[in-house]
Amino acid sequence: MKDTTFKISPGIIWSSSIFLGLLASVPQIAERHFKPAEAAVNSAVTGAFSLFVWYYNIYTLPKPSHNKQLNKSISYSRLLTTLVIGMGVMLALAYIQQLILTHMNFGPVMLMIEVRGILINLVFYMLINLLYQNYQNQQVSVELERIKADNLGAQYELLKQQINPHFLFNSLNTLKAMVETGDQHSVDFILKLSNFYRFTLESRKLDLIHLSDELDIVDAYNFLLKARFEDGFIFTNTIDDQYRGTLIPPFTLQLLIENCIKHNVVSLDHPLHIKLYTEGDNIVMENEIKPKRFEEPSTGVGLKNINLRYDHLLDKQIEIIAEDKTFKVKLPIIHEHYHH
């Protein structure tokens, strides 16, 4: 979460400190024998201490954290430390006042100044912490609104990728050609196309599904591609059965395959080989790089979509590796216990 820096206007800090300094000299002004020097020194001591309390409490505030849980309780240890240091500073200011006004009795003056310092410290500590908690709440609200907007955008882009009119158009053209030639796999093609869009409707509202369900979607999708490209499309899946119970955002693998088809040549003369396997704690989709001669400009929607879902759902990033001859996308494996 990108936080703006917590700030309190210098005008508020200085004006409030000067006001407290003037307020501290009111009793002396009201005395019958008003002594301007004593009132001025007393105001300066109180104002200087108020400035110190402002800046010290702001400086010692907890640093912004990426932890989504906010600690709204008062830190009594920090409060105690602030009071002790404040008393020491006030004692030093009282000693300076005594050096300037030597005729004054140091004992009563010190006691009065210390009590005043403790009260100022307490009030400013509570005020600054109240302002800081309000600032944190505003930051979290802004972040939640941003995440909500990003998730809505991701769902919209995902839906556009899933129900791709271009893909549906190609699939229907392939089906038309199969029917016209009396291909015996026409019925299977219709069933797989139906299953694929059924999977789309069932899974589009879910954040995570089992890898086994995602592989069923991939199987249906690959059958349609195989009918279209025949031996020009080769897909190899070597994922061990032990990973089929792990989780994955729906249509992630289908989007990656679609991305490979979009950016590479797929033909009988130049078959496109896509491999799916595990490596460490990642699921890897790898394909040969065979760029099209006239490739349409890439918007990066597919990979951005996948990375956005991993980031917002799991605080994890996918890894994209583009080498000379191969292109890899590594997806972090999501175990059931992590989801819960």
Side-chain angles (χ1 to χ4, degrees):
M1 182 171 72
K2 294 182 180 179
D3 295 324
T4 56
T5 305
F6 173 72
K7 293 180 180 179
I8 296 179
S9 170
I12 294 177
I13 295 175
W14 282 85
S15 60
S16 62
S17 298
I18 292 173
F19 173 77
L20 285 176
L22 294 175
L23 189 63
S25 64
V26 169
Q28 292 174 314
I29 296 175
E31 289 180 358
R32 180 175 299 179
H33 303 289
F34 172 60
K35 298 178 181 179
E38 291 184 12
V41 172
N42 193 32
S43 294
V45 167
T46 303
F49 181 75
S50 299
L51 284 173
F52 166 79
V53 170
W54 267 117
Y55 286 110
Y56 177 81
N57 279 285
I58 293 173
Y59 179 77
T60 57
L61 282 172
K63 300 301 179 185
S65 172
H66 293 282
N67 192 336
K68 294 181 173 29
Q69 291 184 345
L70 296 179
N71 183 10
K72 296 187 177 182
S73 61
I74 296 176
S75 174
Y76 291 102
S77 60
R78 194 164 63 85
L79 174 59
L80 181 60
T81 302
T82 301
L83 289 175
V84 171
I85 294 177
M87 290 175 66
V89 172
M90 205 50 158
L91 179 62
L93 292 174
Y95 180 73
I96 293 174
Q97 181 181 13
Q98 181 64 25
L99 292 178
I100 297 173
L101 305 173
T102 55
H103 65 279
M104 295 184 65
N105 190 339
F106 183 70
V109 170
M110 182 193 69
L111 180 61
M112 180 185 66
I113 289 180
E114 286 290 357
V115 171
R116 183 190 308 163
I118 291 173
L119 292 176
I120 292 174
N121 219 339
L122 285 172
V123 171
F124 279 19
Y125 181 88
M126 300 301 294
L127 175 61
I128 291 172
N129 276 270
L130 180 64
L131 292 174
Y132 187 66
Q133 287 183 7
N134 183 61
Y135 156 80
Q136 286 185 307
N137 290 333
Q138 290 179 348
Q139 289 296 309
V140 170
S141 297
V142 169
E143 179 68 8
L144 289 176
E145 286 298 320
R146 186 188 68 80
I147 291 175
K148 182 179 178 181
D150 286 346
N151 280 335
L152 288 175
Q155 291 175 16
Y156 174 71
E157 294 295 348
L158 177 61
L159 188 58
K160 289 198 301 184
Q161 289 289 325
Q162 291 169 1
I163 308 177
N164 190 325
H166 184 65
F167 167 73
L168 180 59
F169 175 77
N170 288 332
S171 298
L172 292 177
N173 276 343
T174 302
L175 177 60
K176 175 178 177 290
M178 294 174 70
V179 171
E180 289 176 345
T181 58
D183 194 318
Q184 60 180 348
H185 297 297
S186 299
V187 175
D188 290 336
F189 185 91
I190 295 173
L191 291 175
K192 290 292 185 181
L193 184 61
S194 174
N195 285 338
F196 176 75
Y197 280 99
R198 178 174 59 82
F199 290 144
T200 299
L201 294 174
E202 290 177 350
S203 302
R204 66 188 178 91
K205 294 183 179 181
L206 300 176
D207 292 331
L208 295 167
I209 61 174
H210 285 101
L211 181 60
S212 57
D213 296 329
E214 178 73 4
L215 291 176
D216 289 340
I217 297 173
V218 169
D219 288 341
Y221 184 67
N222 286 346
F223 182 90
L224 303 178
L225 294 176
K226 196 71 175 176
R228 177 183 169 191
F229 296 110
E230 298 180 343
D231 292 335
F233 174 75
I234 303 171
F235 184 82
T236 304
N237 175 15
T238 58
I239 292 181
D240 194 274
D241 288 342
Q242 64 176 321
Y243 294 105
R244 295 179 69 88
T246 59
L247 302 170
I248 191 171
F251 288 89
T252 297
L253 300 180
Q254 182 265 326
L255 282 173
L256 290 178
I257 296 173
E258 184 177 336
N259 194 62
C260 295
I261 299 295
K262 178 181 178 181
H263 296 291
N264 294 277
V265 174
V266 185
S267 67
L268 293 175
D269 296 331
H270 300 89
L272 178 64
H273 191 183
I274 300 176
K275 301 177 183 178
L276 182 65
Y277 57 93
T278 55
E279 184 179 273
D281 206 27
N282 296 283
I283 296 173
V284 183
M285 180 82 76
E286 176 185 333
N287 67 276
E288 304 166 295
I289 296 179
K290 296 181 178 180
K292 296 179 179 178
R293 180 176 297 180
F294 302 104
E295 183 178 358
E296 58 185 289
S298 173
T299 60
V301 169
L303 293 178
K304 286 180 181 178
N305 184 304
I306 295 169
N307 196 52
L308 188 63
R309 284 187 288 162
Y310 271 88
D311 183 32
H312 288 308
L313 291 175
L314 308 158
D315 291 327
K316 291 186 176 183
Q317 300 282 331
I318 68 173
E319 185 178 355
I320 301 171
I321 303 173
E323 299 176 339
D324 292 336
K325 296 183 179 181
T326 59
F327 184 84
K328 299 179 183 179
V329 178
K330 293 187 176 182
L331 308 170
I333 292 177
I334 307 166
H335 297 280
E336 190 82 29
H337 64 83
Y338 182 92
H339 176 56
H340 289 299

